[in-house]
Amino acid sequence: NLFSAAKASLTVAIDSAIMETGPFGANFLAGCKVAAYVHYPTISTDMLNMVWEQRPSYNNNSKITQSRAKTAVKLVYYSLFAVAYGSIGSLADLVMVNSTWTCNHIKYLWRLAAWRGKIHIVYPPCDTRSLEVLPLDDRERVVLSIGQFRPEKDHTLQIRSFARMLAEHVEVRSGARGAKLVLVGSCRDTEDEGRVARLRDLAKMLGVGRQTEFVLNQPFPVLKSWFGRASVGIHTMWNEHFGIGVVEMMAAGLITVAHESGGPKSDIIVPLDMEGENGELVRRETGYLASTVDEYASAMYEALKSGTSEEKRRILRIRQSGREQAKKFSDEVFADSFKGVIVDSNILR
């Protein structure tokens, strides 16, 4: 916390350099050089806009959105916090951020640091190498979701979209190779367990209870097994700052359908220039982006259908380009980028 950070800062030498993941500013008191690696802005313009528009969300309770007075108070609090956050963050000698989305928000809030050219994008490390060994063919018609059962992950959207796809395309529902939605994740507490129970009820209500499976609190080898079996990955979190889970699914060979916002939109699921069959440069898609039930249902169907030879070739190309794109976020790329930015900044001198 802030007090322990301040105490630790005051015990180091004046010429020390401190790496922070939160811009508390306590280290400035000791005359330290400060580098910050920001994964997610504590406050963002998107959060301010959501309060201003009185949109209910997991971090904007409906009791507040329904009251203009409470909304006004929250706006004042958020605005003051944003000013303080930006003032302290702008003092950093070096700022690294994990995505273009985070970079844009930090540049807006930490304006002095942006003006001084101190902000750099360094993508976080992802263990892509261990997933690249998984085969790209012989996949089951499984749509895989990974992540904790937190409200912001919006698993409800996943189940509704999956149900819509099955309702509109009977051919992927019936038979031994009927599509299945598998949600792999952990529950932190009883609140998360209650959320899973409600998701099970939703799946039953929508008629996809038998086609939906929950895999809870399992070790990584179980997840890796599903990575090797599934055909499609689904991600539905709005404005996720980066999206390591999205990268992992792509590295494992899944055709990934991610939310059209945040890091997945700005950095991960973007067109990739690859060498074609005749040596020419070809721009290939690396996955799909969606934001509504209809868009997710359509994208999942496109990723699952593989009846004709051309469709199978198209599916394989997307798997290959997605895996190639994921290599940009490997542990090795992170280590090189991190060291490069540190050295170029001269912060250790």
Side-chain angles (χ1 to χ4, degrees):
N1 57 37
L2 175 59
F3 298 105
S4 60
K7 181 179 179 181
S9 300
L10 294 173
T11 62
V12 300
I14 293 299
D15 60 351
S16 292
I18 300 294
M19 175 65 68
E20 290 192 341
T21 55
F24 297 124
N27 295 307
F28 296 110
L29 299 176
C32 300
K33 292 181 179 179
V34 175
Y37 187 47
V38 183
H39 289 265
Y40 195 88
T42 306
I43 192 166
S44 68
T45 53
D46 289 331
M47 293 168 63
L48 288 165
N49 289 336
M50 183 170 57
V51 176
W52 174 263
E53 296 170 3
Q54 295 181 275
R55 285 187 281 122
S57 179
Y58 67 93
N59 60 352
N60 195 32
N61 194 285
S62 58
K63 293 181 180 179
I64 294 177
T65 62
Q66 293 171 5
S67 168
R68 290 186 177 181
K70 291 180 179 179
T71 294
V73 171
K74 188 169 184 177
L75 270 176
V76 171
Y77 167 71
Y78 269 20
S79 298
L80 292 174
F81 189 89
V83 171
Y85 181 67
S87 300
I88 295 297
S90 289
L91 296 176
D93 298 280
L94 172 65
V95 181
M96 289 176 279
V97 295
N98 65 344
S99 71
T100 301
W101 181 87
T102 304
C103 184
N104 291 337
H105 284 280
I106 290 297
K107 280 185 174 180
Y108 181 82
L109 294 165
W110 299 10
R111 298 190 182 189
L112 180 58
W115 179 74
R116 292 159 57 211
K118 300 294 185 180
I119 302 176
H120 307 269
I121 297 175
V122 177
Y123 296 121
C126 303
D127 181 16
T128 59
R129 182 175 293 181
S130 67
L131 299 174
E132 291 169 5
V133 300
L134 298 173
L136 295 178
D137 53 0
D138 294 328
R139 296 295 183 111
E140 301 174 24
R141 272 186 169 172
V142 169
V143 177
L144 181 66
S145 165
I146 62 173
Q148 290 181 331
F149 288 94
R150 306 200 309 263
E152 61 268 29
K153 296 297 184 180
D154 202 357
H155 292 92
T156 298
L157 178 55
Q158 297 177 7
I159 294 174
R160 291 189 181 279
S161 302
F162 181 72
R164 178 70 58 84
M165 179 191 68
L166 294 189
E168 294 180 348
H169 304 284
V170 181
E171 68 273 22
V172 298
R173 178 179 187 130
S174 58
R177 284 182 49 81
K180 184 177 184 179
L181 174 63
V182 177
L183 300 98
V184 180
S186 60
C187 293
R188 301 163 298 174
D189 48 33
T190 55
E191 185 176 342
D192 285 355
E193 291 170 357
R195 188 171 296 110
V196 170
R198 291 190 293 275
L199 290 171
R200 291 184 193 274
D201 291 340
L202 175 64
K204 292 177 183 177
M205 183 187 73
L206 295 175
V208 293
R210 292 184 178 181
Q211 291 87 1
T212 304
E213 180 177 346
F214 292 82
V215 181
L216 307 177
N217 305 318
Q218 294 298 309
F220 181 74
V222 175
L223 172 59
K224 189 173 181 179
S225 173
W226 281 110
F227 274 144
R229 295 169 58 184
S231 293
V232 180
I234 185 170
H235 161 278
T236 48
M237 181 176 172
W238 172 71
N239 271 349
E240 179 147 23
H241 50 292
F242 179 66
I244 287 179
V246 175
V247 173
E248 289 176 333
M249 289 189 285
M250 293 167 66
L254 282 69
I255 297 180
T256 305
V257 185
H259 198 281
E260 193 173 11
S261 64
K265 179 182 180 181
S266 64
D267 297 291
I268 303 175
I269 300 186
V270 296
L272 177 68
D273 290 330
M274 297 182 66
E275 186 175 317
E277 296 177 357
N278 300 318
E280 76 281 13
L281 202 61
V282 179
R283 176 154 290 192
R284 291 184 175 173
E285 56 186 336
T286 56
Y288 296 96
L289 295 169
S291 59
T292 66
V293 168
D294 286 337
E295 289 172 351
Y296 273 103
S298 176
M300 282 189 288
Y301 176 67
E302 288 297 318
L304 284 173
K305 68 177 184 179
S306 57
T308 67
S309 298
E310 177 55 36
E311 286 174 343
K312 291 178 180 178
R313 286 193 293 269
R314 176 183 63 85
I315 292 296
L316 181 59
R317 284 196 297 268
I318 298 175
R319 294 193 196 284
Q320 291 170 334
S321 57
R323 175 170 284 178
E324 189 65 28
Q325 173 73 356
K327 292 179 180 179
K328 295 181 179 180
F329 313 107
S330 67
D331 291 337
E332 294 78 14
V333 171
F334 167 79
D336 290 341
S337 299
F338 186 86
K339 287 187 291 186
V341 170
I342 290 290
V343 171
D344 291 343
S345 71
N346 294 322
I347 194 172
L348 299 181
R349 290 185 179 180

